[in-house]
Amino acid sequence: MRKKIVAGNWKMNKSLQEGIELAKEVNNRVKALAPSQTLIILGTPFIHLSEVNKIADSVAISAQNCATEVSGAYTGEVSAAMIASTGCQYVILGHSERRSYYGETDEILQKKVMRALENNLDIIFCVGEVLADREAGKHFDIVKSQLENGLFNLSAEQFTHIIIAYEPVWAIGTGKTATSAQAEEMHQFIRATIASRYGEKTADDTSILYGGSCNAKNADELFSQPNVDGGLIGGASLKADDFLAIINARQKH
Ligand code: 13P
């Protein structure tokens, strides 16, 4: 059975002290929900990982990126091995902000995926189209090619370590959410695309999250869809009240 997941992506927000405070509050409030059927993941900046890991006993931790290379003279980079050494279990890869602002291509992402898997990190792999692609009716083709070129070189065993996040770029940080019908339609398509490469069982077991202006108000409707297994939350993960409301919406279904 695939997991229900609510993951926060803090992006480049929160000082170390602010991040620890937020993580403590979220962790304690999630603990009070026990037994929770939802996996909660906090995607923090690199420097927060180790400290947040020390206090997190009810939530898991994710990095937001990792290096393409194993180790060595790559000033400013952070390797998958370093991330794993903090106790972190997940890494977000292929986020549209990394693809568009930092030129991360499918080839670069393939390397990052390999480094993450070599270090036993599970991957939240983001896909999604820009507005022009959707308006041109190319959104399915774009997402299919991101899946095929970024991930479909993996073995069936390796693919069990992948969580997909569908994040339409036009919905990220814009306040414009995909409708639940648009999300469900794309999630179904993603699951069918995975099934055609890895079979029905693997596709059924893969968690597919929605991301893009998901908030306390719209989470309930999005999570009511059968193929929407949870959310990857940006802005609304920065306030404990908002994030907990989204977690509660996930728990309901
Ligand atoms: P927002 O929830 O702020 O739109 O961000 C979504 C996102 O990019 C999560 O990775």
Side-chain angles (χ1 to χ4, degrees), residues 7-11 92 95-97 126 165 167-169 171-176 210-215 231-238 246:
N9 176 6
W10 292 2
K11 308 191 180 183
I92 298 168
H95 193 282
S96 67
E97 289 151 17
C126 304
E167 300 207 307
V169 180
I172 296 178
T174 59
K176 200 173 163 202
Y210 169 80
S213 299
C214 183
N215 59 37
L232 180 56
I233 318 298
S237 72
L238 298 173
I246 294 170

